[in-house]
Amino acid sequence: MRTTTVLLTAALLGCATAAIAEEPGTRELAPGLYLVTGLGDAGSVAFLATPEGVLVVDSGENEGHGNLILDQVRKHSPAPVRYLVFTHLHSDHTLGAPAFPESTLAVGQRGLAAAMEKDLAWQLEAYPPHIEKIRAEVERKRAAGDPGVAKEEARLARNLAAFEEVKKVRLRLPQIEVDGTVSIPSLASVPRCSSGETTS
């Protein structure tokens, strides 16, 4: 794969404005570098296609997005998806990762794996009391005949649905965590790490 840094790819992606498209598609930003469109409110996703392999930056907010991204990659390259780079821990950048092949090497900054696990644990812990608080407000407004109860009921339904989705989350953690800038040839030789470990 050409000597292109992960940092450069992420920077090019950051300079592009994500397009919200009716249908999934791509926009070429530079030769071989594509922005994936049609992901709605999910974070921006791009991929770099080379004859030796493909590097994808971020994975969308669910496995459906991950599959959509892979479909777009296949339209431009038959090469294997060798790397998936996470820019940060937010769910709209990481939760599509389980859709990627097992052979794809997930890469992130130092401490990202621990941060992803901590964030998911926090959500699983924080949702129940938050939902109970909303439920109590629904009951209070219902008992008082408050016309605002319908809005609160809708809020409760949204939070219940969101909590169910959080409970289904499967994390795919970075196998390599790095500091600073790394080139693709050197990245290939960096040892993989287990959860909680990092490499530099």
Side-chain angles (χ1 to χ4, degrees), residues 68-109:
L68 183 156
I69 292 161
L70 291 171
D71 287 345
Q72 294 306 312
V73 168
R74 290 292 155 252
K75 291 179 181 178
H76 295 280
S77 174
V81 179
R82 295 195 182 280
Y83 302 101
L84 171 61
V85 179
F86 296 125
T87 57
H88 60 289
L89 67 85
H90 289 164
S91 60
D92 57 337
H93 297 262
T94 59
L95 295 189
F100 282 68
E102 288 185 14
S103 58
T104 299
L105 189 61
V107 183
Q109 66 191 33

Side-chain angles (χ1 to χ4, degrees), residues 6-184:
V6 169
L7 183 60
L8 174 60
T9 304
L12 285 170
L13 175 61
C15 292
T17 301
I20 297 176
E22 290 295 320
E23 295 295 328
T26 57
R27 189 170 78 226
E28 192 167 19
L29 305 176
L33 181 62
Y34 299 88
L35 177 71
V36 179
T37 60
L39 297 181
D41 293 329
S44 298
V45 172
F47 62 89
L48 178 66
T50 77
E52 295 83 8
V54 178
L55 179 148
V56 178
V57 180
D58 287 334
S59 65
E61 65 184 355
N62 53 52
E63 292 188 45
H65 278 172
N67 285 317
L68 183 156
I69 292 161
L70 291 171
D71 287 345
Q72 294 306 312
V73 168
R74 290 292 155 252
K75 291 179 181 178
H76 295 280
S77 174
V81 179
R82 295 195 182 280
Y83 302 101
L84 171 61
V85 179
F86 296 125
T87 57
H88 60 289
L89 67 85
H90 289 164
S91 60
D92 57 337
H93 297 262
T94 59
L95 295 189
F100 282 68
E102 288 185 14
S103 58
T104 299
L105 189 61
V107 183
Q109 66 191 33
R110 182 181 290 275
L112 182 60
M116 288 170 67
E117 290 178 316
K118 183 177 179 181
D119 182 66
L120 179 59
W122 175 82
Q123 290 189 60
L124 289 168
E125 183 179 338
Y127 258 111
H130 179 64
I131 286 169
E132 289 312 307
K133 191 184 228 181
I134 300 171
R135 198 188 305 278
E137 186 65 8
V138 167
E139 294 304 321
R140 187 190 70 76
K141 290 191 173 187
R142 187 177 290 144
D146 189 326
V149 69
K151 183 177 179 181
E152 208 64 28
E153 287 172 337
R155 182 176 171 223
L156 176 61
R158 285 194 306 273
N159 278 270
L160 286 168
F163 185 40
E164 288 305 310
E165 290 304 310
V166 168
K167 288 191 285 188
K168 296 175 189 173
V169 164
R170 293 190 304 133
L171 290 180
R172 179 162 178 185
L173 302 174
Q175 294 147 289
I176 289 181
E177 294 187 332
V178 297
D179 282 322
T181 302
V182 61
S183 67
I184 295 306

